[in-house]
Amino acid sequence: MNNCIFCKIASREIPSEVIAENEYFFAIKDISPLYKIHLLIIAKAHIATVSDIPADEMEHFSAAFDLAKKIAQKLDVVASGYRLTVNNGSDAGQEVPHFHMHFLAGEPLRKL
Ligand code: AMP
Ligand code: ZN
């Protein structure tokens, strides 16, 4: 989608180091990390929020968890733990309206 920062990263119009990827998602480091490990697992397609996922594409979203599982293994945080967060809309503080899941780890996280 025009002018979407994550679409531009997905299409490589804006270069970024891709940490891991699969058919539907890719992971990069968050530009303003809140924790020692702060990655974003970003949909390759432009879908704004969970509420915008078409019914016939919903099954693709398990690939986001599959990528998170592989990243947790690769970064060796399975035992220590990690948090996956998806912000949807303004009350949740979503800044970039293109589906992404925060992967937070590497130190104790503030309790929700
Ligand atoms: P959210 O508030 O859930 O929409 O999160 C958006 C996240 O994207 C924030 O944590 C930003 O720091 C991060 N972000 C914005 N632009 C970039 C970028 N170009 N590369 C990596 N992370 C970014
Ligand atoms: Zn987009």
Side-chain angles (χ1 to χ4, degrees):
M1 187 177 243
N2 284 345
N3 248 1
C4 170
I5 182 88
F6 288 171
C7 281
K8 287 180 179 169
I9 292 173
S11 68
R12 311 288 161 123
E13 187 182 332
I14 294 176
S16 187
E17 185 194 353
V18 173
I19 306 292
E21 69 177 313
N22 60 26
E23 188 176 354
Y24 299 109
F25 292 88
F26 65 99
I28 61 171
K29 289 182 181 168
D30 195 290
I31 204 166
S32 305
L34 296 174
Y35 293 102
K36 283 185 184 160
I37 296 173
H38 186 169
L39 305 181
L40 300 173
I41 295 174
I42 302 174
K44 290 185 176 180
H46 183 85
I47 289 168
T49 72
V50 166
S51 299
D52 297 300
I53 301 171
D56 63 350
E57 292 179 27
M58 189 60 87
E59 66 194 55
H60 301 167
F61 278 70
S62 65
F65 290 100
D66 193 55
L67 199 58
K69 182 179 171 184
K70 291 197 169 92
I71 290 167
Q73 287 163 346
K74 187 174 167 182
L75 300 183
D76 196 22
V77 297
V78 174
S80 52
Y82 54 98
R83 181 178 293 155
L84 303 172
T85 301
V86 179
N87 294 319
N88 294 279
S90 59
D91 277 2
Q94 185 181 14
E95 288 171 21
V96 180
H98 175 130
F99 180 96
H100 56 281
M101 189 158 72
H102 295 257
F103 183 107
L104 308 169
E107 59 187 309
L109 308 174
R110 280 184 297 280
K111 186 120 179 65
L112 284 178

